[in-house]
mmCIF file of all heavy atoms in Angstrom:
data_model
loop_
_atom_site.group_PDB
_atom_site.id
_atom_site.type_symbol
_atom_site.label_atom_id
_atom_site.label_comp_id
_atom_site.label_asym_id
_atom_site.label_seq_id
_atom_site.Cartn_x
_atom_site.Cartn_y
_atom_site.Cartn_z
ATOM 1 N N LYS A 1 0.772 -1.212 0.015
ATOM 2 C CA LYS A 1 0.010 0.006 0.004
ATOM 3 C C LYS A 1 0.847 1.225 -0.011
ATOM 4 O O LYS A 1 0.541 2.274 -0.672
ATOM 5 C CB LYS A 1 -0.927 0.020 1.219
ATOM 6 C CG LYS A 1 -1.974 1.188 1.213
ATOM 7 C CD LYS A 1 -2.866 1.012 2.445
ATOM 8 C CE LYS A 1 -3.773 2.179 2.488
ATOM 9 N NZ LYS A 1 -4.835 2.090 3.568
ATOM 10 N N SER A 2 2.001 1.174 0.777
ATOM 11 C CA SER A 2 2.829 2.330 0.797
ATOM 12 C C SER A 2 3.455 2.698 -0.606
ATOM 13 O O SER A 2 3.900 3.813 -0.812
ATOM 14 C CB SER A 2 3.985 2.164 1.837
ATOM 15 O OG SER A 2 3.329 2.117 3.175
ATOM 16 N N ALA A 3 3.581 1.601 -1.207
ATOM 17 C CA ALA A 3 4.136 1.776 -2.718
ATOM 18 C C ALA A 3 3.132 2.004 -3.729
ATOM 19 O O ALA A 3 3.395 2.084 -4.919
ATOM 20 C CB ALA A 3 4.873 0.566 -3.044
ATOM 21 N N GLY A 4 1.842 2.304 -3.377
ATOM 22 C CA GLY A 4 0.861 2.760 -4.307
ATOM 23 C C GLY A 4 -0.194 1.646 -4.763
ATOM 24 O O GLY A 4 -0.936 1.889 -5.596
ATOM 25 N N TYR A 5 -0.060 0.472 -4.075
ATOM 26 C CA TYR A 5 -0.990 -0.600 -4.482
ATOM 27 C C TYR A 5 -2.387 -0.507 -3.849
ATOM 28 O O TYR A 5 -2.409 -0.010 -2.662
ATOM 29 C CB TYR A 5 -0.351 -1.922 -4.023
ATOM 30 C CG TYR A 5 0.602 -2.624 -5.047
ATOM 31 C CD1 TYR A 5 1.881 -2.072 -5.237
ATOM 32 C CD2 TYR A 5 0.181 -3.730 -5.746
ATOM 33 C CE1 TYR A 5 2.757 -2.612 -6.169
ATOM 34 C CE2 TYR A 5 1.043 -4.259 -6.760
ATOM 35 C CZ TYR A 5 2.389 -3.753 -6.892
ATOM 36 O OH TYR A 5 3.257 -4.338 -7.816
ATOM 37 N N ASN A 6 -3.371 -0.879 -4.564
ATOM 38 C CA ASN A 6 -4.686 -1.102 -3.874
ATOM 39 C C ASN A 6 -4.661 -2.500 -3.329
ATOM 40 O O ASN A 6 -4.233 -3.427 -3.874
ATOM 41 C CB ASN A 6 -5.722 -0.997 -4.929
ATOM 42 C CG ASN A 6 -5.959 0.433 -5.568
ATOM 43 O OD1 ASN A 6 -6.664 1.227 -4.976
ATOM 44 N ND2 ASN A 6 -5.274 0.708 -6.640
ATOM 45 N N THR A 7 -5.186 -2.566 -2.057
ATOM 46 C CA THR A 7 -5.072 -3.790 -1.339
ATOM 47 C C THR A 7 -6.400 -4.319 -0.890
ATOM 48 O O THR A 7 -7.203 -3.514 -0.390
ATOM 49 C CB THR A 7 -4.067 -3.639 -0.157
ATOM 50 O OG1 THR A 7 -4.651 -2.578 0.663
ATOM 51 C CG2 THR A 7 -2.734 -3.269 -0.617
ATOM 52 N N ALA A 8 -6.614 -5.541 -0.922
ATOM 53 C CA ALA A 8 -7.821 -6.184 -0.479
ATOM 54 C C ALA A 8 -7.620 -7.643 0.064
ATOM 55 O O ALA A 8 -6.789 -8.316 -0.452
ATOM 56 C CB ALA A 8 -8.893 -6.272 -1.589
ATOM 57 N N VAL A 9 -8.413 -7.913 1.152
ATOM 58 C CA VAL A 9 -8.359 -9.328 1.617
ATOM 59 C C VAL A 9 -9.821 -9.828 1.521
ATOM 60 O O VAL A 9 -10.712 -9.144 2.034
ATOM 61 C CB VAL A 9 -7.717 -9.412 3.006
ATOM 62 C CG1 VAL A 9 -8.459 -8.531 3.980
ATOM 63 C CG2 VAL A 9 -7.864 -10.847 3.543
ATOM 64 N N LEU A 10 -10.004 -10.987 1.087
ATOM 65 C CA LEU A 10 -11.340 -11.671 0.897
ATOM 66 C C LEU A 10 -11.311 -13.039 1.688
ATOM 67 O O LEU A 10 -10.346 -13.823 1.258
ATOM 68 C CB LEU A 10 -11.730 -11.878 -0.516
ATOM 69 C CG LEU A 10 -11.725 -10.609 -1.393
ATOM 70 C CD1 LEU A 10 -12.035 -10.971 -2.838
ATOM 71 C CD2 LEU A 10 -12.723 -9.460 -0.875
ATOM 72 N N GLY A 11 -12.104 -13.248 2.530
ATOM 73 C CA GLY A 11 -12.128 -14.556 3.172
ATOM 74 C C GLY A 11 -11.686 -14.543 4.641
ATOM 75 O O GLY A 11 -12.116 -13.666 5.479
ATOM 76 N N LYS A 12 -10.942 -15.480 4.966
ATOM 77 C CA LYS A 12 -10.471 -15.762 6.367
ATOM 78 C C LYS A 12 -9.291 -14.923 6.770
ATOM 79 O O LYS A 12 -8.262 -14.891 6.124
ATOM 80 C CB LYS A 12 -10.145 -17.345 6.446
ATOM 81 C CG LYS A 12 -9.626 -17.749 7.880
ATOM 82 C CD LYS A 12 -9.325 -19.176 7.898
ATOM 83 C CE LYS A 12 -8.809 -19.662 9.254
ATOM 84 N NZ LYS A 12 -8.711 -21.154 9.226
ATOM 85 N N TRP A 13 -9.416 -14.216 7.918
ATOM 86 C CA TRP A 13 -8.362 -13.362 8.421
ATOM 87 C C TRP A 13 -7.607 -14.205 9.531
ATOM 88 O O TRP A 13 -6.460 -14.455 9.351
ATOM 89 C CB TRP A 13 -9.031 -12.076 8.991
ATOM 90 C CG TRP A 13 -8.025 -11.057 9.594
ATOM 91 C CD1 TRP A 13 -8.034 -10.659 10.850
ATOM 92 C CD2 TRP A 13 -6.941 -10.490 9.015
ATOM 93 N NE1 TRP A 13 -7.024 -9.780 11.128
ATOM 94 C CE2 TRP A 13 -6.292 -9.624 9.947
ATOM 95 C CE3 TRP A 13 -6.449 -10.463 7.671
ATOM 96 C CZ2 TRP A 13 -5.234 -8.945 9.667
ATOM 97 C CZ3 TRP A 13 -5.288 -9.708 7.348
ATOM 98 C CH2 TRP A 13 -4.717 -8.902 8.367
ATOM 99 N N HIS A 14 -8.100 -14.414 10.660
ATOM 100 C CA HIS A 14 -7.719 -15.280 11.702
ATOM 101 C C HIS A 14 -6.264 -14.642 12.253
ATOM 102 O O HIS A 14 -5.355 -15.475 12.614
ATOM 103 C CB HIS A 14 -7.490 -16.640 11.224
ATOM 104 C CG HIS A 14 -7.516 -17.714 12.285
ATOM 105 N ND1 HIS A 14 -7.386 -19.075 12.113
ATOM 106 C CD2 HIS A 14 -7.820 -17.521 13.686
ATOM 107 C CE1 HIS A 14 -7.535 -19.702 13.284
ATOM 108 N NE2 HIS A 14 -7.812 -18.769 14.236
ATOM 109 N N LEU A 15 -6.177 -13.358 12.304
ATOM 110 C CA LEU A 15 -5.107 -12.676 12.924
ATOM 111 C C LEU A 15 -5.333 -11.784 13.928
ATOM 112 O O LEU A 15 -4.540 -10.795 14.346
ATOM 113 C CB LEU A 15 -4.183 -11.986 11.793
ATOM 114 C CG LEU A 15 -3.572 -12.966 10.764
ATOM 115 C CD1 LEU A 15 -3.038 -12.176 9.692
ATOM 116 C CD2 LEU A 15 -2.461 -13.766 11.433
ATOM 117 N N GLY A 16 -6.582 -11.891 14.601
ATOM 118 C CA GLY A 16 -6.972 -11.053 15.583
ATOM 119 C C GLY A 16 -8.279 -10.377 15.387
ATOM 120 O O GLY A 16 -8.472 -9.930 14.244
ATOM 121 N N SER A 17 -9.069 -10.193 16.370
ATOM 122 C CA SER A 17 -10.440 -9.525 16.165
ATOM 123 C C SER A 17 -10.613 -8.157 16.816
ATOM 124 O O SER A 17 -11.502 -7.492 16.492
ATOM 125 C CB SER A 17 -11.524 -10.453 16.621
ATOM 126 O OG SER A 17 -11.486 -10.633 18.086
ATOM 127 N N ALA A 18 -9.750 -7.810 17.766
ATOM 128 C CA ALA A 18 -9.863 -6.497 18.405
ATOM 129 C C ALA A 18 -9.621 -5.422 17.313
ATOM 130 O O ALA A 18 -8.979 -5.674 16.310
ATOM 131 C CB ALA A 18 -8.711 -6.358 19.414
ATOM 132 N N PRO A 19 -10.206 -4.367 17.369
ATOM 133 C CA PRO A 19 -10.208 -3.372 16.282
ATOM 134 C C PRO A 19 -8.817 -3.041 15.642
ATOM 135 O O PRO A 19 -8.742 -2.985 14.455
ATOM 136 C CB PRO A 19 -10.837 -2.113 16.867
ATOM 137 C CG PRO A 19 -11.784 -2.567 17.936
ATOM 138 C CD PRO A 19 -11.116 -3.799 18.491
ATOM 139 N N ARG A 20 -7.860 -2.992 16.514
ATOM 140 C CA ARG A 20 -6.591 -2.578 16.020
ATOM 141 C C ARG A 20 -5.855 -3.736 15.204
ATOM 142 O O ARG A 20 -5.030 -3.436 14.395
ATOM 143 C CB ARG A 20 -5.584 -2.191 17.151
ATOM 144 C CG ARG A 20 -5.181 -3.401 18.158
ATOM 145 C CD ARG A 20 -4.384 -2.753 19.213
ATOM 146 N NE ARG A 20 -3.856 -3.823 20.149
ATOM 147 C CZ ARG A 20 -4.592 -4.440 21.106
ATOM 148 N NH1 ARG A 20 -5.854 -3.978 21.271
ATOM 149 N NH2 ARG A 20 -4.063 -5.395 21.961
ATOM 150 N N PHE A 21 -6.364 -4.952 15.397
ATOM 151 C CA PHE A 21 -5.778 -6.084 14.594
ATOM 152 C C PHE A 21 -6.607 -6.372 13.377
ATOM 153 O O PHE A 21 -6.112 -7.236 12.585
ATOM 154 C CB PHE A 21 -5.899 -7.362 15.442
ATOM 155 C CG PHE A 21 -5.028 -7.417 16.710
ATOM 156 C CD1 PHE A 21 -5.610 -7.610 17.917
ATOM 157 C CD2 PHE A 21 -3.694 -6.952 16.657
ATOM 158 C CE1 PHE A 21 -4.848 -7.641 19.059
ATOM 159 C CE2 PHE A 21 -2.880 -7.010 17.782
ATOM 160 C CZ PHE A 21 -3.444 -7.209 19.008
ATOM 161 N N GLN A 22 -7.662 -5.736 13.096
ATOM 162 C CA GLN A 22 -8.563 -6.048 11.935
ATOM 163 C C GLN A 22 -7.777 -5.506 10.581
ATOM 164 O O GLN A 22 -7.023 -4.623 10.556
ATOM 165 C CB GLN A 22 -9.850 -5.401 12.082
ATOM 166 C CG GLN A 22 -10.620 -6.115 13.206
ATOM 167 C CD GLN A 22 -12.020 -5.725 13.393
ATOM 168 O OE1 GLN A 22 -12.630 -4.975 12.449
ATOM 169 N NE2 GLN A 22 -12.655 -5.970 14.586
ATOM 170 N N PRO A 23 -8.198 -6.208 9.492
ATOM 171 C CA PRO A 23 -7.495 -5.899 8.228
ATOM 172 C C PRO A 23 -7.379 -4.485 7.775
ATOM 173 O O PRO A 23 -6.350 -4.040 7.172
ATOM 174 C CB PRO A 23 -8.344 -6.703 7.140
ATOM 175 C CG PRO A 23 -8.961 -7.789 7.996
ATOM 176 C CD PRO A 23 -9.258 -7.264 9.317
ATOM 177 N N LEU A 24 -8.461 -3.652 7.976
ATOM 178 C CA LEU A 24 -8.423 -2.261 7.561
ATOM 179 C C LEU A 24 -7.411 -1.480 8.365
ATOM 180 O O LEU A 24 -7.172 -0.366 7.928
ATOM 181 C CB LEU A 24 -9.832 -1.702 7.675
ATOM 182 C CG LEU A 24 -10.888 -2.309 6.765
ATOM 183 C CD1 LEU A 24 -12.233 -1.548 6.822
ATOM 184 C CD2 LEU A 24 -10.426 -2.497 5.286
ATOM 185 N N GLU A 25 -6.875 -1.959 9.455
ATOM 186 C CA GLU A 25 -5.888 -1.386 10.214
ATOM 187 C C GLU A 25 -4.460 -1.972 9.906
ATOM 188 O O GLU A 25 -3.501 -1.536 10.521
ATOM 189 C CB GLU A 25 -6.096 -1.471 11.749
ATOM 190 C CG GLU A 25 -7.505 -0.960 12.144
ATOM 191 C CD GLU A 25 -7.812 0.501 11.861
ATOM 192 O OE1 GLU A 25 -6.842 1.235 11.844
ATOM 193 O OE2 GLU A 25 -8.882 0.868 11.424
ATOM 194 N N ARG A 26 -4.410 -2.939 9.029
ATOM 195 C CA ARG A 26 -3.128 -3.635 8.887
ATOM 196 C C ARG A 26 -2.751 -3.627 7.378
ATOM 197 O O ARG A 26 -2.142 -4.460 6.831
ATOM 198 C CB ARG A 26 -3.244 -5.132 9.220
ATOM 199 C CG ARG A 26 -3.704 -5.382 10.756
ATOM 200 C CD ARG A 26 -2.979 -4.564 11.736
ATOM 201 N NE ARG A 26 -1.525 -4.784 11.771
ATOM 202 C CZ ARG A 26 -0.879 -5.675 12.528
ATOM 203 N NH1 ARG A 26 -1.610 -6.400 13.396
ATOM 204 N NH2 ARG A 26 0.422 -5.703 12.512
ATOM 205 N N GLY A 27 -3.145 -2.476 6.708
ATOM 206 C CA GLY A 27 -2.626 -2.206 5.324
ATOM 207 C C GLY A 27 -3.604 -2.618 4.211
ATOM 208 O O GLY A 27 -3.372 -2.287 3.026
ATOM 209 N N PHE A 28 -4.830 -3.097 4.627
ATOM 210 C CA PHE A 28 -5.807 -3.385 3.569
ATOM 211 C C PHE A 28 -6.826 -2.318 3.428
ATOM 212 O O PHE A 28 -7.354 -1.780 4.369
ATOM 213 C CB PHE A 28 -6.464 -4.756 3.897
ATOM 214 C CG PHE A 28 -5.511 -5.982 3.683
ATOM 215 C CD1 PHE A 28 -4.945 -6.506 4.799
ATOM 216 C CD2 PHE A 28 -5.389 -6.487 2.417
ATOM 217 C CE1 PHE A 28 -4.069 -7.606 4.597
ATOM 218 C CE2 PHE A 28 -4.505 -7.565 2.285
ATOM 219 C CZ PHE A 28 -3.911 -8.098 3.350
ATOM 220 N N ASP A 29 -7.080 -2.028 2.162
ATOM 221 C CA ASP A 29 -8.062 -0.986 1.830
ATOM 222 C C ASP A 29 -9.523 -1.536 1.889
ATOM 223 O O ASP A 29 -10.448 -0.822 2.144
ATOM 224 C CB ASP A 29 -7.877 -0.421 0.353
ATOM 225 C CG ASP A 29 -6.539 0.271 0.231
ATOM 226 O OD1 ASP A 29 -6.131 1.133 1.123
ATOM 227 O OD2 ASP A 29 -5.843 -0.052 -0.804
ATOM 228 N N GLU A 30 -9.604 -2.793 1.556
ATOM 229 C CA GLU A 30 -10.968 -3.550 1.583
ATOM 230 C C GLU A 30 -10.830 -4.888 2.278
ATOM 231 O O GLU A 30 -9.909 -5.576 2.149
ATOM 232 C CB GLU A 30 -11.404 -3.705 0.028
ATOM 233 C CG GLU A 30 -11.476 -2.522 -0.748
ATOM 234 C CD GLU A 30 -12.000 -2.736 -2.097
ATOM 235 O OE1 GLU A 30 -12.675 -3.729 -2.371
ATOM 236 O OE2 GLU A 30 -11.714 -1.872 -3.081
ATOM 237 N N PHE A 31 -11.987 -5.192 2.860
ATOM 238 C CA PHE A 31 -12.092 -6.470 3.523
ATOM 239 C C PHE A 31 -13.533 -7.014 3.436
ATOM 240 O O PHE A 31 -14.479 -6.307 3.721
ATOM 241 C CB PHE A 31 -11.751 -6.333 5.034
ATOM 242 C CG PHE A 31 -12.064 -7.572 5.911
ATOM 243 C CD1 PHE A 31 -11.610 -8.783 5.525
ATOM 244 C CD2 PHE A 31 -12.672 -7.442 7.096
ATOM 245 C CE1 PHE A 31 -11.903 -9.916 6.271
ATOM 246 C CE2 PHE A 31 -13.026 -8.500 7.930
ATOM 247 C CZ PHE A 31 -12.618 -9.736 7.459
ATOM 248 N N PHE A 32 -13.614 -8.235 2.963
ATOM 249 C CA PHE A 32 -14.757 -8.965 2.970
ATOM 250 C C PHE A 32 -14.577 -10.339 3.446
ATOM 251 O O PHE A 32 -13.821 -11.103 2.759
ATOM 252 C CB PHE A 32 -15.534 -9.063 1.564
ATOM 253 C CG PHE A 32 -16.848 -9.778 1.679
ATOM 254 C CD1 PHE A 32 -18.126 -9.168 2.024
ATOM 255 C CD2 PHE A 32 -16.849 -11.156 1.469
ATOM 256 C CE1 PHE A 32 -19.314 -9.907 2.146
ATOM 257 C CE2 PHE A 32 -18.034 -11.898 1.493
ATOM 258 C CZ PHE A 32 -19.278 -11.236 1.861
ATOM 259 N N GLY A 33 -15.085 -10.711 4.681
ATOM 260 C CA GLY A 33 -14.822 -12.004 5.172
ATOM 261 C C GLY A 33 -15.123 -12.122 6.682
ATOM 262 O O GLY A 33 -16.021 -11.412 7.155
ATOM 263 N N PHE A 34 -14.370 -12.989 7.364
ATOM 264 C CA PHE A 34 -14.585 -13.201 8.753
ATOM 265 C C PHE A 34 -13.186 -13.167 9.531
ATOM 266 O O PHE A 34 -12.172 -13.394 8.866
ATOM 267 C CB PHE A 34 -15.296 -14.472 9.035
ATOM 268 C CG PHE A 34 -14.734 -15.703 8.342
ATOM 269 C CD1 PHE A 34 -13.900 -16.578 9.002
ATOM 270 C CD2 PHE A 34 -15.049 -15.951 6.982
ATOM 271 C CE1 PHE A 34 -13.321 -17.760 8.408
ATOM 272 C CE2 PHE A 34 -14.458 -17.028 6.332
ATOM 273 C CZ PHE A 34 -13.630 -17.893 7.003
ATOM 274 N N LEU A 35 -13.262 -12.870 10.773
ATOM 275 C CA LEU A 35 -12.055 -12.628 11.538
ATOM 276 C C LEU A 35 -11.434 -13.886 12.160
ATOM 277 O O LEU A 35 -10.292 -13.817 12.580
ATOM 278 C CB LEU A 35 -12.385 -11.647 12.644
ATOM 279 C CG LEU A 35 -12.757 -10.209 12.095
ATOM 280 C CD1 LEU A 35 -13.206 -9.387 13.274
ATOM 281 C CD2 LEU A 35 -11.618 -9.523 11.307
ATOM 282 N N HIS A 36 -12.152 -14.972 12.360
ATOM 283 C CA HIS A 36 -11.690 -16.042 13.023
ATOM 284 C C HIS A 36 -11.502 -17.416 12.142
ATOM 285 O O HIS A 36 -11.303 -17.215 10.991
ATOM 286 C CB HIS A 36 -12.534 -16.418 14.295
ATOM 287 C CG HIS A 36 -12.579 -15.205 15.197
ATOM 288 N ND1 HIS A 36 -11.487 -14.751 15.942
ATOM 289 C CD2 HIS A 36 -13.486 -14.298 15.565
ATOM 290 C CE1 HIS A 36 -11.779 -13.724 16.659
ATOM 291 N NE2 HIS A 36 -13.066 -13.486 16.459
ATOM 292 N N GLY A 37 -11.724 -18.570 12.756
ATOM 293 C CA GLY A 37 -11.370 -19.807 12.025
ATOM 294 C C GLY A 37 -12.583 -20.199 11.363
ATOM 295 O O GLY A 37 -13.023 -19.554 10.394
ATOM 296 N N ALA A 38 -13.155 -21.406 11.582
ATOM 297 C CA ALA A 38 -14.201 -22.019 10.917
ATOM 298 C C ALA A 38 -15.442 -21.157 10.772
ATOM 299 O O ALA A 38 -15.821 -20.430 11.730
ATOM 300 C CB ALA A 38 -14.571 -23.349 11.509
ATOM 301 N N HIS A 39 -15.962 -21.080 9.575
ATOM 302 C CA HIS A 39 -17.193 -20.264 9.334
ATOM 303 C C HIS A 39 -18.166 -21.044 8.455
ATOM 304 O O HIS A 39 -17.758 -21.653 7.539
ATOM 305 C CB HIS A 39 -16.791 -18.953 8.674
ATOM 306 C CG HIS A 39 -17.913 -17.851 8.622
ATOM 307 N ND1 HIS A 39 -19.017 -17.963 7.814
ATOM 308 C CD2 HIS A 39 -18.059 -16.694 9.445
ATOM 309 C CE1 HIS A 39 -19.823 -16.938 8.049
ATOM 310 N NE2 HIS A 39 -19.284 -16.131 9.025
ATOM 311 N N SER A 40 -19.469 -20.825 8.714
ATOM 312 C CA SER A 40 -20.410 -21.582 7.862
ATOM 313 C C SER A 40 -20.317 -21.018 6.378
ATOM 314 O O SER A 40 -20.109 -19.843 6.223
ATOM 315 C CB SER A 40 -21.889 -21.241 8.428
ATOM 316 O OG SER A 40 -22.870 -21.637 7.504
ATOM 317 N N TYR A 41 -20.613 -21.925 5.516
ATOM 318 C CA TYR A 41 -20.613 -21.585 4.067
ATOM 319 C C TYR A 41 -22.105 -21.277 3.727
ATOM 320 O O TYR A 41 -22.235 -20.614 2.629
ATOM 321 C CB TYR A 41 -20.137 -22.767 3.198
ATOM 322 C CG TYR A 41 -18.701 -23.223 3.429
ATOM 323 C CD1 TYR A 41 -18.351 -23.975 4.634
ATOM 324 C CD2 TYR A 41 -17.720 -22.780 2.640
ATOM 325 C CE1 TYR A 41 -17.079 -24.335 4.718
ATOM 326 C CE2 TYR A 41 -16.388 -23.136 2.817
ATOM 327 C CZ TYR A 41 -16.087 -23.896 3.942
ATOM 328 O OH TYR A 41 -14.858 -24.341 4.133
ATOM 329 N N MET A 42 -23.008 -21.653 4.422
ATOM 330 C CA MET A 42 -24.384 -21.667 3.989
ATOM 331 C C MET A 42 -25.351 -20.680 4.727
ATOM 332 O O MET A 42 -26.499 -20.242 4.260
ATOM 333 C CB MET A 42 -25.086 -23.028 4.187
ATOM 334 C CG MET A 42 -24.206 -24.178 3.659
ATOM 335 S SD MET A 42 -24.204 -24.287 1.828
ATOM 336 C CE MET A 42 -25.781 -25.125 1.473
ATOM 337 N N SER A 43 -24.991 -20.315 5.882
ATOM 338 C CA SER A 43 -25.890 -19.599 6.864
ATOM 339 C C SER A 43 -25.990 -18.119 6.387
ATOM 340 O O SER A 43 -25.014 -17.411 6.284
ATOM 341 C CB SER A 43 -25.482 -19.670 8.238
ATOM 342 O OG SER A 43 -26.321 -18.843 9.095
ATOM 343 N N PRO A 44 -27.247 -17.538 6.110
ATOM 344 C CA PRO A 44 -27.330 -16.206 5.800
ATOM 345 C C PRO A 44 -27.318 -15.224 6.953
ATOM 346 O O PRO A 44 -27.097 -14.102 6.770
ATOM 347 C CB PRO A 44 -28.746 -16.165 5.208
ATOM 348 C CG PRO A 44 -29.403 -17.225 5.795
ATOM 349 C CD PRO A 44 -28.474 -18.330 6.120
ATOM 350 N N THR A 45 -27.315 -15.847 8.160
ATOM 351 C CA THR A 45 -27.238 -14.942 9.413
ATOM 352 C C THR A 45 -25.842 -15.009 9.946
ATOM 353 O O THR A 45 -25.161 -15.938 9.779
ATOM 354 C CB THR A 45 -28.252 -15.410 10.441
ATOM 355 O OG1 THR A 45 -28.044 -16.761 10.726
ATOM 356 C CG2 THR A 45 -29.704 -15.314 9.845
ATOM 357 N N HIS A 46 -25.441 -13.982 10.693
ATOM 358 C CA HIS A 46 -24.205 -13.909 11.225
ATOM 359 C C HIS A 46 -24.064 -14.570 12.558
ATOM 360 O O HIS A 46 -25.033 -14.638 13.410
ATOM 361 C CB HIS A 46 -23.802 -12.453 11.319
ATOM 362 C CG HIS A 46 -24.329 -11.573 12.407
ATOM 363 N ND1 HIS A 46 -25.474 -10.860 12.048
ATOM 364 C CD2 HIS A 46 -24.087 -11.530 13.769
ATOM 365 C CE1 HIS A 46 -25.833 -10.192 13.219
ATOM 366 N NE2 HIS A 46 -24.987 -10.543 14.260
ATOM 367 N N SER A 47 -22.842 -15.065 12.849
ATOM 368 C CA SER A 47 -22.585 -15.658 14.140
ATOM 369 C C SER A 47 -22.073 -14.505 15.051
ATOM 370 O O SER A 47 -21.399 -13.643 14.651
ATOM 371 C CB SER A 47 -21.475 -16.733 13.937
ATOM 372 O OG SER A 47 -20.812 -16.953 15.200
#
């Protein structure tokens, strides 16, 4: 990102869930996914 790249993470993060550890605080411009380990593939509601 510092070199001018657009950055995105899609899917599993699993590197911490407190706000400071989340992807948008770790160099990513975009994030779609979940913060921990196993996640349902089918459920429309959130855990």
Side-chain angles (χ1 to χ4, degrees):
K1 183 176 180 177
S2 295
Y5 275 71
N6 292 276
T7 59
V9 53
L10 305 175
K12 178 175 176 177
W13 180 238
H14 210 182
L15 291 171
S17 62
R20 68 184 183 278
F21 296 128
Q22 293 184 18
L24 299 186
E25 306 301 324
R26 307 310 301 266
F28 288 96
D29 300 312
E30 300 183 25
F31 169 50
F32 178 87
F34 52 97
L35 296 173
H36 299 294
H39 193 284
S40 171
Y41 297 79
M42 312 286 281
S43 174
T45 59
H46 72 262
S47 159

